[in-house]
Amino acid sequence: SAQYDIASIRNDFPILGRTVWDKPLVYLDNAASAQRPTAVIDAVKGLYENNYSNVHRGVHRLSQESTDLYDDARVKVRGFLNAACVHEIIFTRGTTESINLVAQSYARPRLKAGDEILITHMEHHSNIVPWQMVCEQTGASLKVVPITDRGELDMEQFRNLLSEKTVLLGVTHVSNALGSVNPVKEMIRAAHERDVPVLVDGAQAVPHIRVDVRELDADFYVFSGHKIYGPTGVGVLYGKERLLNAMPPYQGGGDMILSVTFEGTTYNELPYKFEAGTPNIAGVVGLGAAIDYVNKIGLGAIAAHEHGLLMYATSKLKEIDGLRIIGEAEQKAGLISFVLDDVHPHDIGQMLDAEGVAVRAGHHCAQPVMERFGVPATARASFAMYNTYQEIDVLTDAIKKTIDMFK
Ligand code: PMP
């Protein structure tokens, strides 16, 4: 296989060259947000310098160029997810907005009192709260698949909880708090046997594993640009054409209509029906560049590199007395959550920062996971394509130093 050229990859990310407190930056907060390669920064800058205008409205030259660049990005996302057609790709503000869209436009009109939405105990708040809101609006209730002590979904309970009352299953592909990779294909198959559509939260999956929405047979698949080396404020909702066509618009405004009169309005076709108002044009163009970049390096090569880092970091962290890893699923991707016996996670975060090491300390917007494992918070080291084994050594030494300081 081709050499994984980590030095050249790191060179593509300008921010990795900076220091923090006079130490080289060791960026291990990629699950919160990754960094951007020059290719993405240049795509955004290039758009603003050369082609920028509003999209879809003008016949003038710049508007055509901007529209072409915007449409090209949709073609790239279609290919990236292997969706059947480009109009199944809706641009949103991010994972959060994509889930809210499905909750309000798909679930809300279908839910009645007594119905159920099934989610899991390891969801990010953004795959919990929108469902709670729609349950409150309709009298439906939320059911939750439990997590085992290892941090995997309890699949027996999952099968028991799927019922004729279930209107939709929402499940994260990869947990942002535990790193667990969930068997979403198997879950989708089980749900479909009961005609239950499935929304997969792919925010933590797409940077780390190849996703094929048709192979999974996912009904909805959502992710954010900023976690896959793209800009902030842009994300994707993939939905099956049949489902999207049967859904009312999420927001009203410009671009999502065919004609407007005071007597009534007709809505535009997919995908525009769900893209009201001037979209995040630069964000979408930057996301297209991010996907090109990821494709150039290759998700297979990225996944192999990150798996090596995860194995190495796991074995190094396990050697540390008083360190407990939270989440030991058989299948993990991208991150390690941990706690120390005598040091609060926020103090870990601060001590590591002093060594130039960026990790997240907190509940990771997954408070139910913290409650399940009996911890207020964890420290989380999360990996990207540009992290190195040497950086894991820096992390390990900084953790040991922290323990010594708090003794
Ligand atoms: N789901 C998961 C699994 C996540 O990790 C995140 C981001 N931490 C989100 C949803 C929310 O993504 P965003 O804030 O970009 O909408």
Side-chain angles (χ1 to χ4, degrees), residues 31 94-96 124 126 172 174 176 201 203-204 224 226-227:
T95 303
T96 302
H124 186 278
S126 69
T172 193
V174 175
N176 73 310
D201 174 354
Q204 295 295 341
S224 298
H226 67 99
K227 293 182 201 272

Side-chain angles (χ1 to χ4, degrees), residues 159-323:
R159 283 174 213 285
N160 293 338
L161 284 164
L162 257 185
S163 80
E164 63 284 352
K165 293 183 191 158
T166 315
V167 169
L168 183 135
L169 166 67
V171 58
T172 193
H173 199 163
V174 175
S175 160
N176 73 310
L178 301 167
S180 324
V181 181
N182 291 319
V184 291
K185 187 172 177 181
E186 188 184 333
M187 296 174 82
I188 290 168
R189 199 182 314 119
H192 285 176
E193 278 167 17
R194 291 184 169 273
D195 288 326
V196 173
V198 183
L199 176 140
V200 181
D201 174 354
Q204 295 295 341
V206 289
H208 307 298
I209 49 188
R210 186 175 301 289
V211 170
D212 180 329
V213 291
R214 275 189 285 173
E215 208 234 337
L216 292 175
D217 202 18
D219 300 283
F220 300 104
Y221 197 98
V222 300
F223 71 91
S224 298
H226 67 99
K227 293 182 201 272
I228 183 159
Y229 314 105
T232 57
V234 65
V236 168
L237 163 64
Y238 159 80
K240 285 182 179 165
E241 179 177 19
R242 175 178 56 81
L243 298 177
L244 292 175
N245 269 330
M247 288 157 57
Y250 174 53
Q251 295 181 323
D255 270 348
M256 51 75 69
I257 53 87
L258 284 180
S259 79
V260 178
T261 69
F262 290 112
E263 286 68 49
T265 289
T266 54
Y267 303 131
N268 206 337
E269 320 249 274
L270 293 176
Y272 312 109
K273 183 171 87 175
F274 292 109
E275 293 181 359
T278 299
N280 183 351
I281 302 163
V284 166
V285 170
L287 176 58
I291 286 173
D292 281 345
Y293 184 80
V294 166
N295 286 339
K296 190 184 88 177
I297 307 297
L299 256 178
I302 293 168
H305 174 70
E306 291 176 345
H307 183 72
L309 290 175
L310 181 65
M311 293 297 107
Y312 182 65
T314 302
S315 72
K316 294 276 284 190
L317 263 52
K318 275 190 163 163
E319 285 168 8
I320 300 176
D321 269 345
L323 185 150

Side-chain angles (χ1 to χ4, degrees), residues 10 32 76 108 130 143 177 187 252 272 318 345 371 379:
R10 290 184 67 81
K76 289 169 188 180
R108 189 173 181 176
K143 296 286 164 191
M187 296 174 82
Y272 312 109
K318 275 190 163 163
E371 162 266 312

Side-chain angles (χ1 to χ4, degrees), residues 9-144:
I9 290 172
R10 290 184 67 81
N11 257 329
D12 290 337
F13 289 80
I15 206 169
L16 299 180
R18 68 162 284 178
T19 56
V20 170
W21 310 122
D22 292 329
K23 309 249 164 61
L25 167 68
V26 174
Y27 191 75
L28 296 173
D29 193 20
N30 297 286
S33 206
Q35 300 295 348
R36 283 114 206 82
T38 305
V40 169
I41 298 166
D42 284 352
V44 172
K45 190 162 174 276
L47 172 78
Y48 282 136
E49 285 180 351
N50 303 309
N51 322 98
Y52 180 77
S53 171
N54 209 328
V55 290
H56 300 309
R57 297 207 183 96
V59 293
H60 65 78
R61 180 63 191 258
L62 292 190
S63 180
Q64 287 170 24
E65 289 181 8
S66 284
T67 302
D68 286 348
L69 288 164
Y70 187 81
D71 291 344
D72 282 352
R74 202 187 306 275
V75 172
K76 289 169 188 180
V77 175
R78 187 216 66 78
F80 184 66
L81 294 177
N82 194 30
C85 43
V86 280
H87 53 258
E88 291 180 319
I89 305 299
I90 314 292
F91 288 119
T92 64
R93 274 201 309 124
T95 303
T96 302
E97 189 178 52
S98 297
I99 297 171
N100 277 280
L101 191 164
V102 175
Q104 290 300 316
S105 285
Y106 180 82
R108 189 173 181 176
R110 286 168 179 76
L111 284 173
K112 54 185 190 322
D115 286 346
E116 295 173 359
I117 296 283
L118 182 59
I119 60 169
T120 87
H121 204 127
M122 68 171 84
E123 300 310 312
H124 186 278
H125 294 165
S126 69
N127 205 22
I128 301 174
V129 183
W131 306 116
Q132 286 176 325
M133 289 166 68
V134 80
C135 284
E136 214 160 88
Q137 289 157 345
T138 59
S141 57
L142 200 60
K143 296 286 164 191
V144 181

